[in-house]
Amino acid sequence: MSTVGSSVHKSSRSSSFCADLVCCLSAPPKKILKMKVWIIFLVCLAGHAMAAPTEEQPMDEELVAVEEQPMDEELVPDEELVVDEPVVEDSVVEETEVGANPVQVEIGEFDEAIELEDDVVENPCLQHQCKKGKVCEVDDSNTPMCVCQDPSTCAAAEGQFEHVCGTDNKTYDTSCHFFAAKCALEGTKKGHKLHLDYIGPCKDIEPCMDNELSQFPLRMRDWLKNVLVTLYERDQDNDLLTEKQKLRVKKIYENEKRLKAGEHTLDLLAHDFLKNYNMYIFPVHWQFKQLDQHPADGYLTHSELAPLRAPLIPMEHCTTRFFEECDADADKYIALEEWAACFGIKEEDVDKELLI
């Protein structure tokens, strides 16, 4: 019980004590009445002084009043809020700099992305193309120029399938290493003769005999025809063949006489070429156009032939001799007429309009 409650209890006992004392002292004679009254007065005064609350407990008196006074039910929640409301310490909040985006301030990487984008836009090398073996750099005047790539900057090969063999019979780690080495020899006789021979490590290639050389175009023609048919079948998004090319291949694809892809004897391939000669004219023209890109001048160089011959040499040992003999005048360039003759296409059927 609180101090106030104890004081109230003491006050009640003192009042009762005074009343009893009055009753007990009321019986004596009148000669001592005056003295007895003074004694009663002093005892009652002392009792009230003991029951009075001290100055150190001013709030308890108010709380007792609240406990003794009947509370209105509607006021109970408010009283509870006032008494039980916790004290919350003010949290320290860091103020964001005026004009700053809070998200960017927290993440920080968005600003870097913007700076990189500005650098990309201002980089003149983005609009400057270099051939294989060279990379773009800018000089002191911020002018782009092509310089030979350092072979040490090329990524290492992940397997033997990335190795390439040069015409110098040397195995290079990747095509990047090869073209970087070729660029370093630019302007020299050795560099002029160096070309990418085939894909894979260098190995012994058996010589191509005359009878084997005559068989090579039989397989090559059939392969070109089947490649076009496969592209036509898979060209769902119209990004493998142009519309004009698809019209040409469609005639081959829908021809019931077409020899389907598979393992065929040389006699069957030779017979099909004579029987269905027209099916092979466009595939031969199409392959020439695919290779004649750098530059597209109607002639094939050794470098332009590389995408076709490099993967073929390890499988077809007559590939090198075949393309060498396609250059009938030995001028290091294969014209469309020379190319068509190598595949048995008649001169009157050579048509530059088919280079689509």
Side-chain angles (χ1 to χ4, degrees):
M1 183 178 292
S2 64
T3 306
V4 176
S6 301
S7 301
V8 173
H9 182 64
K10 290 178 181 179
S11 178
S12 301
R13 290 192 299 172
S14 299
S15 301
S16 176
F17 174 76
C18 292
D20 295 339
L21 189 58
V22 171
C23 294
C24 293
L25 294 178
S26 60
K30 293 182 180 180
K31 59 180 181 179
I32 59 173
L33 179 61
K34 186 174 181 179
M35 182 180 293
K36 293 180 180 178
V37 171
W38 277 105
I39 293 174
I40 295 171
F41 174 76
L42 291 175
V43 173
C44 293
L45 184 61
H48 281 289
M50 293 176 61
T54 62
E55 295 180 358
E56 296 179 355
Q57 305 290 336
M59 293 299 297
D60 290 342
E61 187 175 8
E62 295 178 5
L63 291 174
V64 171
V66 172
E67 291 178 359
E68 293 179 352
Q69 179 180 359
M71 293 185 295
D72 191 346
E73 293 182 359
E74 297 181 355
L75 296 177
V76 171
D78 294 336
E79 292 294 339
E80 292 178 354
L81 285 174
V82 173
V83 175
D84 298 333
E85 182 177 3
V87 179
V88 180
E89 295 181 2
D90 293 335
S91 59
V92 179
V93 179
E94 294 183 4
E95 293 186 359
T96 304
E97 183 181 354
V98 177
N101 187 327
V103 177
Q104 294 185 20
V105 171
E106 291 181 10
I107 298 176
E109 297 178 356
F110 189 72
D111 293 334
E112 294 179 4
I114 294 178
E115 293 176 3
L116 288 174
E117 185 177 351
D118 293 340
D119 293 342
V120 168
V121 173
E122 296 176 0
N123 188 354
C125 280
L126 288 180
Q127 305 299 329
H128 193 78
Q129 294 184 352
C130 299
K131 67 178 184 179
K132 292 180 179 180
K134 292 189 175 185
V135 293
C136 179
E137 293 183 358
V138 293
D139 57 15
D140 296 336
S141 61
N142 204 36
T143 302
M145 58 181 182
C146 293
V147 298
C148 290
Q149 183 176 1
D150 184 352
S152 63
T153 62
C154 295
E158 296 182 359
Q160 287 195 356
F161 63 91
E162 288 195 59
H163 297 334
V164 297
C165 182
T167 51
D168 57 352
N169 201 34
K170 177 182 177 181
T171 299
Y172 295 84
D173 199 37
T174 65
S175 60
C176 175
H177 291 85
F178 167 79
F179 287 109
K182 178 176 173 61
C183 182
L185 297 173
E186 197 171 48
T188 66
K189 186 177 181 180
K190 183 178 180 181
H192 181 70
K193 291 183 176 181
L194 180 61
H195 300 286
L196 192 156
D197 199 11
Y198 54 88
I199 296 175
C202 294
K203 63 179 182 179
D204 292 332
I205 304 294
E206 58 181 299
C208 177
M209 301 291 102
D210 292 343
N211 62 319
E212 294 174 325
L213 182 62
S214 63
Q215 298 170 1
F216 181 81
L218 294 176
R219 295 189 296 271
M220 192 69 180
R221 282 191 305 251
D222 186 62
W223 178 75
L224 291 177
K225 180 194 65 179
N226 292 329
V227 167
L228 270 177
V229 169
T230 301
L231 292 177
Y232 177 81
E233 291 175 333
R234 298 180 180 179
D235 194 17
Q236 303 296 331
D237 299 325
N238 298 321
D239 57 354
L240 301 177
L241 297 172
T242 65
E243 289 300 323
K244 290 183 178 181
Q245 290 173 341
K246 289 171 70 174
L247 289 175
R248 294 280 181 177
V249 181
K250 183 179 180 180
K251 295 179 180 179
I252 301 174
Y253 179 76
E254 295 179 347
N255 195 320
E256 296 180 354
K257 298 180 180 180
R258 172 173 62 88
L259 181 65
K260 304 296 190 296
E263 295 289 336
H264 304 300
T265 63
L266 294 176
D267 290 339
L268 179 59
L269 292 176
H271 175 75
D272 188 70
F273 178 66
L274 295 175
K275 184 179 179 181
N276 298 306
Y277 167 79
N278 290 332
M279 291 188 190
Y280 295 91
I281 296 176
F282 179 69
V284 171
H285 283 77
W286 170 81
Q287 183 63 80
F288 183 89
K289 179 61 178 176
Q290 292 296 111
L291 298 172
D292 184 24
Q293 299 290 334
H294 308 288
D297 55 359
Y299 297 91
L300 298 180
T301 63
H302 191 285
S303 296
E304 288 177 314
L305 283 170
L308 177 62
R309 64 188 302 278
L312 277 177
I313 291 178
M315 299 181 293
E316 292 277 0
H317 65 282
C318 285
T319 303
T320 299
R321 183 181 174 186
F322 173 78
F323 288 118
E324 285 177 351
E325 296 196 5
C326 280
D327 183 17
D329 56 5
D331 64 350
K332 306 297 182 182
Y333 295 96
I334 299 178
L336 175 61
E337 292 76 13
E338 293 175 318
W339 175 267
C342 280
F343 287 96
I345 304 300
K346 301 174 185 178
E347 185 176 355
E348 61 268 23
D349 293 322
V350 177
D351 186 2
K352 291 184 178 181
E353 296 296 324
L354 294 179
L355 301 178
I356 53 179

